[in-house]
mmCIF file of all heavy atoms in Angstrom:
data_model
loop_
_atom_site.group_PDB
_atom_site.id
_atom_site.type_symbol
_atom_site.label_atom_id
_atom_site.label_comp_id
_atom_site.label_asym_id
_atom_site.label_seq_id
_atom_site.Cartn_x
_atom_site.Cartn_y
_atom_site.Cartn_z
ATOM 1 N N THR A 1 10.109 -8.188 7.830
ATOM 2 C CA THR A 1 9.100 -8.035 6.772
ATOM 3 C C THR A 1 7.936 -7.174 7.253
ATOM 4 O O THR A 1 7.427 -6.333 6.506
ATOM 5 C CB THR A 1 8.596 -9.409 6.327
ATOM 6 O OG1 THR A 1 9.695 -10.167 5.792
ATOM 7 C CG2 THR A 1 7.515 -9.288 5.263
ATOM 8 N N VAL A 2 7.507 -7.377 8.501
ATOM 9 C CA VAL A 2 6.403 -6.580 9.045
ATOM 10 C C VAL A 2 6.803 -5.102 9.108
ATOM 11 O O VAL A 2 6.007 -4.217 8.754
ATOM 12 C CB VAL A 2 5.987 -7.108 10.431
ATOM 13 C CG1 VAL A 2 5.021 -6.154 11.120
ATOM 14 C CG2 VAL A 2 5.354 -8.494 10.293
ATOM 15 N N ALA A 3 8.029 -4.831 9.547
ATOM 16 C CA ALA A 3 8.499 -3.438 9.587
ATOM 17 C C ALA A 3 8.573 -2.858 8.181
ATOM 18 O O ALA A 3 8.194 -1.703 7.951
ATOM 19 C CB ALA A 3 9.863 -3.372 10.269
ATOM 20 N N GLU A 4 9.038 -3.642 7.242
ATOM 21 C CA GLU A 4 9.136 -3.178 5.853
ATOM 22 C C GLU A 4 7.758 -3.000 5.242
ATOM 23 O O GLU A 4 7.550 -2.108 4.397
ATOM 24 C CB GLU A 4 9.969 -4.173 5.043
ATOM 25 C CG GLU A 4 10.292 -3.735 3.632
ATOM 26 C CD GLU A 4 11.155 -2.490 3.546
ATOM 27 O OE1 GLU A 4 11.726 -2.065 4.570
ATOM 28 O OE2 GLU A 4 11.250 -1.933 2.428
ATOM 29 N N ARG A 5 6.783 -3.825 5.659
ATOM 30 C CA ARG A 5 5.402 -3.655 5.192
ATOM 31 C C ARG A 5 4.870 -2.278 5.571
ATOM 32 O O ARG A 5 4.235 -1.592 4.763
ATOM 33 C CB ARG A 5 4.522 -4.744 5.796
ATOM 34 C CG ARG A 5 3.055 -4.708 5.366
ATOM 35 C CD ARG A 5 2.262 -5.782 6.085
ATOM 36 N NE ARG A 5 2.088 -5.486 7.499
ATOM 37 C CZ ARG A 5 1.812 -6.395 8.436
ATOM 38 N NH1 ARG A 5 1.695 -7.674 8.114
ATOM 39 N NH2 ARG A 5 1.668 -6.038 9.701
ATOM 40 N N ARG A 6 5.138 -1.856 6.813
ATOM 41 C CA ARG A 6 4.701 -0.530 7.251
ATOM 42 C C ARG A 6 5.378 0.571 6.434
ATOM 43 O O ARG A 6 4.730 1.547 6.022
ATOM 44 C CB ARG A 6 5.000 -0.352 8.744
ATOM 45 C CG ARG A 6 4.147 -1.227 9.659
ATOM 46 C CD ARG A 6 4.281 -0.779 11.108
ATOM 47 N NE ARG A 6 5.618 -1.076 11.637
ATOM 48 C CZ ARG A 6 5.915 -2.168 12.314
ATOM 49 N NH1 ARG A 6 4.982 -3.086 12.541
ATOM 50 N NH2 ARG A 6 7.134 -2.371 12.780
ATOM 51 N N ARG A 7 6.666 0.435 6.200
ATOM 52 C CA ARG A 7 7.399 1.448 5.440
ATOM 53 C C ARG A 7 6.910 1.509 4.002
ATOM 54 O O ARG A 7 6.712 2.598 3.436
ATOM 55 C CB ARG A 7 8.899 1.148 5.474
ATOM 56 C CG ARG A 7 9.770 2.261 4.921
ATOM 57 C CD ARG A 7 11.219 1.854 4.881
ATOM 58 N NE ARG A 7 11.479 0.917 3.787
ATOM 59 C CZ ARG A 7 11.735 1.294 2.530
ATOM 60 N NH1 ARG A 7 11.723 2.573 2.192
ATOM 61 N NH2 ARG A 7 11.971 0.383 1.588
ATOM 62 N N LEU A 8 6.695 0.340 3.391
ATOM 63 C CA LEU A 8 6.223 0.306 2.011
ATOM 64 C C LEU A 8 4.827 0.906 1.908
ATOM 65 O O LEU A 8 4.526 1.650 0.962
ATOM 66 C CB LEU A 8 6.226 -1.135 1.496
ATOM 67 C CG LEU A 8 5.700 -1.363 0.083
ATOM 68 C CD1 LEU A 8 6.500 -0.573 -0.941
ATOM 69 C CD2 LEU A 8 5.704 -2.853 -0.260
ATOM 70 N N ALA A 9 3.955 0.571 2.862
ATOM 71 C CA ALA A 9 2.602 1.125 2.842
ATOM 72 C C ALA A 9 2.638 2.648 2.895
ATOM 73 O O ALA A 9 1.913 3.336 2.157
ATOM 74 C CB ALA A 9 1.792 0.569 4.005
ATOM 75 N N ALA A 10 3.485 3.193 3.759
ATOM 76 C CA ALA A 10 3.594 4.654 3.861
ATOM 77 C C ALA A 10 4.116 5.244 2.556
ATOM 78 O O ALA A 10 3.636 6.300 2.099
ATOM 79 C CB ALA A 10 4.504 5.022 5.027
ATOM 80 N N GLY A 11 5.092 4.585 1.942
ATOM 81 C CA GLY A 11 5.621 5.069 0.675
ATOM 82 C C GLY A 11 4.586 5.051 -0.432
ATOM 83 O O GLY A 11 4.475 5.996 -1.227
ATOM 84 N N LEU A 12 3.792 3.989 -0.481
ATOM 85 C CA LEU A 12 2.750 3.889 -1.503
ATOM 86 C C LEU A 12 1.661 4.942 -1.294
ATOM 87 O O LEU A 12 1.178 5.548 -2.247
ATOM 88 C CB LEU A 12 2.139 2.487 -1.480
ATOM 89 C CG LEU A 12 3.035 1.356 -1.997
ATOM 90 C CD1 LEU A 12 2.480 0.001 -1.576
ATOM 91 C CD2 LEU A 12 3.183 1.423 -3.505
ATOM 92 N N GLU A 13 1.296 5.160 -0.041
ATOM 93 C CA GLU A 13 0.239 6.131 0.242
ATOM 94 C C GLU A 13 0.624 7.554 -0.162
ATOM 95 O O GLU A 13 -0.245 8.401 -0.390
ATOM 96 C CB GLU A 13 -0.116 6.087 1.735
ATOM 97 C CG GLU A 13 -0.894 4.828 2.118
ATOM 98 C CD GLU A 13 -1.037 4.664 3.624
ATOM 99 O OE1 GLU A 13 -0.236 5.281 4.371
ATOM 100 O OE2 GLU A 13 -1.933 3.907 4.049
ATOM 101 N N SER A 14 1.909 7.804 -0.270
ATOM 102 C CA SER A 14 2.371 9.149 -0.634
ATOM 103 C C SER A 14 2.390 9.387 -2.140
ATOM 104 O O SER A 14 2.615 10.520 -2.575
ATOM 105 C CB SER A 14 3.783 9.379 -0.078
ATOM 106 O OG SER A 14 4.743 8.600 -0.794
ATOM 107 N N LEU A 15 2.125 8.348 -2.922
ATOM 108 C CA LEU A 15 2.229 8.472 -4.372
ATOM 109 C C LEU A 15 0.930 8.997 -4.978
ATOM 110 O O LEU A 15 -0.157 8.528 -4.626
ATOM 111 C CB LEU A 15 2.572 7.116 -4.990
ATOM 112 C CG LEU A 15 3.896 6.467 -4.562
ATOM 113 C CD1 LEU A 15 4.073 5.127 -5.251
ATOM 114 C CD2 LEU A 15 5.070 7.377 -4.871
ATOM 115 N N PRO A 16 1.029 9.936 -5.934
ATOM 116 C CA PRO A 16 -0.176 10.448 -6.597
ATOM 117 C C PRO A 16 -0.961 9.372 -7.342
ATOM 118 O O PRO A 16 -2.181 9.481 -7.490
ATOM 119 C CB PRO A 16 0.375 11.495 -7.570
ATOM 120 C CG PRO A 16 1.703 11.873 -7.012
ATOM 121 C CD PRO A 16 2.248 10.648 -6.356
ATOM 122 N N ALA A 17 -0.282 8.313 -7.804
ATOM 123 C CA ALA A 17 -0.952 7.263 -8.578
ATOM 124 C C ALA A 17 -1.766 6.311 -7.706
ATOM 125 O O ALA A 17 -2.542 5.512 -8.221
ATOM 126 C CB ALA A 17 0.077 6.464 -9.376
ATOM 127 N N VAL A 18 -1.609 6.416 -6.387
ATOM 128 C CA VAL A 18 -2.257 5.488 -5.462
ATOM 129 C C VAL A 18 -3.461 6.161 -4.806
ATOM 130 O O VAL A 18 -3.351 7.258 -4.259
ATOM 131 C CB VAL A 18 -1.264 5.010 -4.383
ATOM 132 C CG1 VAL A 18 -1.980 4.185 -3.310
ATOM 133 C CG2 VAL A 18 -0.156 4.174 -5.027
ATOM 134 N N ARG A 19 -4.591 5.470 -4.854
ATOM 135 C CA ARG A 19 -5.790 5.962 -4.177
ATOM 136 C C ARG A 19 -5.838 5.494 -2.721
ATOM 137 O O ARG A 19 -6.212 6.242 -1.827
ATOM 138 C CB ARG A 19 -7.051 5.466 -4.891
ATOM 139 C CG ARG A 19 -7.408 6.196 -6.169
ATOM 140 C CD ARG A 19 -8.917 6.018 -6.448
ATOM 141 N NE ARG A 19 -9.282 6.563 -7.744
ATOM 142 C CZ ARG A 19 -9.551 5.836 -8.824
ATOM 143 N NH1 ARG A 19 -9.467 4.521 -8.755
ATOM 144 N NH2 ARG A 19 -9.889 6.412 -9.952
ATOM 145 N N ARG A 20 -5.499 4.215 -2.507
ATOM 146 C CA ARG A 20 -5.665 3.652 -1.177
ATOM 147 C C ARG A 20 -4.796 2.421 -0.986
ATOM 148 O O ARG A 20 -4.619 1.630 -1.918
ATOM 149 C CB ARG A 20 -7.140 3.277 -0.967
ATOM 150 C CG ARG A 20 -7.471 2.777 0.421
ATOM 151 C CD ARG A 20 -8.962 2.468 0.541
ATOM 152 N NE ARG A 20 -9.298 2.018 1.875
ATOM 153 C CZ ARG A 20 -10.488 1.537 2.245
ATOM 154 N NH1 ARG A 20 -11.462 1.475 1.349
ATOM 155 N NH2 ARG A 20 -10.718 1.147 3.471
ATOM 156 N N VAL A 21 -4.263 2.278 0.211
ATOM 157 C CA VAL A 21 -3.570 1.054 0.615
ATOM 158 C C VAL A 21 -4.399 0.430 1.733
ATOM 159 O O VAL A 21 -4.626 1.054 2.775
ATOM 160 C CB VAL A 21 -2.137 1.339 1.099
ATOM 161 C CG1 VAL A 21 -1.467 0.048 1.554
ATOM 162 C CG2 VAL A 21 -1.319 2.020 0.005
ATOM 163 N N PHE A 22 -4.869 -0.779 1.526
ATOM 164 C CA PHE A 22 -5.739 -1.426 2.510
ATOM 165 C C PHE A 22 -4.922 -1.995 3.674
ATOM 166 O O PHE A 22 -3.762 -2.396 3.487
ATOM 167 C CB PHE A 22 -6.548 -2.538 1.848
ATOM 168 C CG PHE A 22 -7.594 -2.033 0.894
ATOM 169 C CD1 PHE A 22 -7.311 -1.884 -0.452
ATOM 170 C CD2 PHE A 22 -8.858 -1.685 1.357
ATOM 171 C CE1 PHE A 22 -8.266 -1.403 -1.333
ATOM 172 C CE2 PHE A 22 -9.822 -1.199 0.486
ATOM 173 C CZ PHE A 22 -9.525 -1.051 -0.867
ATOM 174 N N PRO A 23 -5.496 -2.057 4.869
ATOM 175 C CA PRO A 23 -4.796 -2.668 6.006
ATOM 176 C C PRO A 23 -4.440 -4.122 5.686
ATOM 177 O O PRO A 23 -5.206 -4.829 5.024
ATOM 178 C CB PRO A 23 -5.823 -2.588 7.141
ATOM 179 C CG PRO A 23 -6.802 -1.545 6.719
ATOM 180 C CD PRO A 23 -6.851 -1.587 5.224
ATOM 181 N N SER A 24 -3.299 -4.563 6.184
ATOM 182 C CA SER A 24 -2.858 -5.932 5.903
ATOM 183 C C SER A 24 -2.163 -6.539 7.105
ATOM 184 O O SER A 24 -1.346 -5.888 7.766
ATOM 185 C CB SER A 24 -1.895 -5.950 4.703
ATOM 186 O OG SER A 24 -1.368 -7.249 4.505
ATOM 187 N N GLY A 25 -2.482 -7.797 7.374
ATOM 188 C CA GLY A 25 -1.777 -8.563 8.389
ATOM 189 C C GLY A 25 -0.902 -9.630 7.773
ATOM 190 O O GLY A 25 -0.465 -10.555 8.464
ATOM 191 N N ALA A 26 -0.616 -9.497 6.475
ATOM 192 C CA ALA A 26 0.149 -10.519 5.741
ATOM 193 C C ALA A 26 1.470 -9.940 5.240
ATOM 194 O O ALA A 26 1.888 -8.856 5.654
ATOM 195 C CB ALA A 26 -0.697 -11.049 4.585
ATOM 196 N N ASN A 27 2.120 -10.640 4.335
ATOM 197 C CA ASN A 27 3.381 -10.152 3.767
ATOM 198 C C ASN A 27 3.144 -9.494 2.412
ATOM 199 O O ASN A 27 4.013 -9.510 1.537
ATOM 200 C CB ASN A 27 4.392 -11.287 3.633
ATOM 201 C CG ASN A 27 3.996 -12.313 2.584
ATOM 202 O OD1 ASN A 27 2.804 -12.489 2.315
ATOM 203 N ND2 ASN A 27 4.978 -12.986 2.006
ATOM 204 N N PHE A 28 1.963 -8.909 2.242
ATOM 205 C CA PHE A 28 1.615 -8.220 1.003
ATOM 206 C C PHE A 28 0.641 -7.093 1.317
ATOM 207 O O PHE A 28 0.085 -7.014 2.420
ATOM 208 C CB PHE A 28 1.004 -9.195 -0.012
ATOM 209 C CG PHE A 28 -0.226 -9.903 0.484
ATOM 210 C CD1 PHE A 28 -1.478 -9.288 0.439
ATOM 211 C CD2 PHE A 28 -0.146 -11.183 1.015
ATOM 212 C CE1 PHE A 28 -2.606 -9.928 0.914
ATOM 213 C CE2 PHE A 28 -1.274 -11.829 1.493
ATOM 214 C CZ PHE A 28 -2.510 -11.206 1.439
ATOM 215 N N LEU A 29 0.441 -6.240 0.325
ATOM 216 C CA LEU A 29 -0.483 -5.120 0.446
ATOM 217 C C LEU A 29 -1.418 -5.107 -0.757
ATOM 218 O O LEU A 29 -0.962 -5.303 -1.888
ATOM 219 C CB LEU A 29 0.276 -3.790 0.498
ATOM 220 C CG LEU A 29 1.184 -3.576 1.712
ATOM 221 C CD1 LEU A 29 2.163 -2.428 1.447
ATOM 222 C CD2 LEU A 29 0.362 -3.301 2.961
ATOM 223 N N LEU A 30 -2.692 -4.886 -0.514
ATOM 224 C CA LEU A 30 -3.637 -4.651 -1.600
ATOM 225 C C LEU A 30 -3.719 -3.140 -1.798
ATOM 226 O O LEU A 30 -3.992 -2.401 -0.844
ATOM 227 C CB LEU A 30 -5.014 -5.220 -1.257
ATOM 228 C CG LEU A 30 -6.059 -5.112 -2.380
ATOM 229 C CD1 LEU A 30 -5.695 -6.031 -3.541
ATOM 230 C CD2 LEU A 30 -7.457 -5.433 -1.860
ATOM 231 N N VAL A 31 -3.499 -2.712 -3.033
ATOM 232 C CA VAL A 31 -3.369 -1.284 -3.328
ATOM 233 C C VAL A 31 -4.355 -0.901 -4.422
ATOM 234 O O VAL A 31 -4.373 -1.507 -5.497
ATOM 235 C CB VAL A 31 -1.925 -0.947 -3.776
ATOM 236 C CG1 VAL A 31 -1.782 0.541 -4.047
ATOM 237 C CG2 VAL A 31 -0.922 -1.402 -2.709
ATOM 238 N N GLU A 32 -5.176 0.102 -4.134
ATOM 239 C CA GLU A 32 -6.105 0.643 -5.132
ATOM 240 C C GLU A 32 -5.407 1.769 -5.883
ATOM 241 O O GLU A 32 -4.881 2.708 -5.264
ATOM 242 C CB GLU A 32 -7.359 1.157 -4.434
ATOM 243 C CG GLU A 32 -8.429 1.665 -5.376
ATOM 244 C CD GLU A 32 -9.649 2.169 -4.637
ATOM 245 O OE1 GLU A 32 -10.087 1.484 -3.676
ATOM 246 O OE2 GLU A 32 -10.163 3.248 -5.010
ATOM 247 N N LEU A 33 -5.410 1.678 -7.213
ATOM 248 C CA LEU A 33 -4.673 2.622 -8.051
ATOM 249 C C LEU A 33 -5.616 3.470 -8.895
ATOM 250 O O LEU A 33 -6.758 3.085 -9.167
ATOM 251 C CB LEU A 33 -3.721 1.853 -8.982
ATOM 252 C CG LEU A 33 -2.632 1.034 -8.278
ATOM 253 C CD1 LEU A 33 -2.028 0.038 -9.251
ATOM 254 C CD2 LEU A 33 -1.557 1.949 -7.711
ATOM 255 N N ARG A 34 -5.129 4.598 -9.345
ATOM 256 C CA ARG A 34 -5.907 5.430 -10.266
ATOM 257 C C ARG A 34 -5.954 4.808 -11.657
ATOM 258 O O ARG A 34 -6.948 4.957 -12.370
ATOM 259 C CB ARG A 34 -5.317 6.847 -10.325
ATOM 260 C CG ARG A 34 -5.347 7.558 -8.989
ATOM 261 C CD ARG A 34 -4.892 9.001 -9.104
ATOM 262 N NE ARG A 34 -4.843 9.606 -7.778
ATOM 263 C CZ ARG A 34 -5.890 10.097 -7.136
ATOM 264 N NH1 ARG A 34 -7.083 10.039 -7.703
ATOM 265 N NH2 ARG A 34 -5.762 10.636 -5.946
ATOM 266 N N ASP A 35 -4.910 4.101 -12.028
ATOM 267 C CA ASP A 35 -4.855 3.463 -13.343
ATOM 268 C C ASP A 35 -4.039 2.185 -13.219
ATOM 269 O O ASP A 35 -2.821 2.188 -13.409
ATOM 270 C CB ASP A 35 -4.227 4.418 -14.366
ATOM 271 C CG ASP A 35 -4.335 3.902 -15.803
ATOM 272 O OD1 ASP A 35 -4.548 2.686 -15.976
ATOM 273 O OD2 ASP A 35 -4.200 4.704 -16.738
ATOM 274 N N ALA A 36 -4.721 1.083 -12.881
ATOM 275 C CA ALA A 36 -4.021 -0.183 -12.659
ATOM 276 C C ALA A 36 -3.306 -0.691 -13.908
ATOM 277 O O ALA A 36 -2.150 -1.122 -13.823
ATOM 278 C CB ALA A 36 -4.986 -1.238 -12.121
#
């Protein structure tokens, strides 16, 4: 899950709809979007 968290974060950061992915030590990510 931790390895997949890193991969998912990188994938989200590459999306035009995403402004920011916050650092996370959990099994989830907080993601700031252009249009939630």
Side-chain angles (χ1 to χ4, degrees):
T1 299
V2 170
E4 187 64 13
R5 181 183 71 201
R6 291 192 290 265
R7 190 185 75 85
L8 177 59
L12 289 165
E13 287 170 340
S14 71
L15 299 179
V18 173
R19 283 203 187 105
R20 185 178 181 188
V21 178
F22 290 92
S24 174
N27 68 333
F28 58 82
L29 295 164
L30 184 69
V31 182
E32 184 180 316
L33 298 164
R34 298 186 184 278
D35 189 341

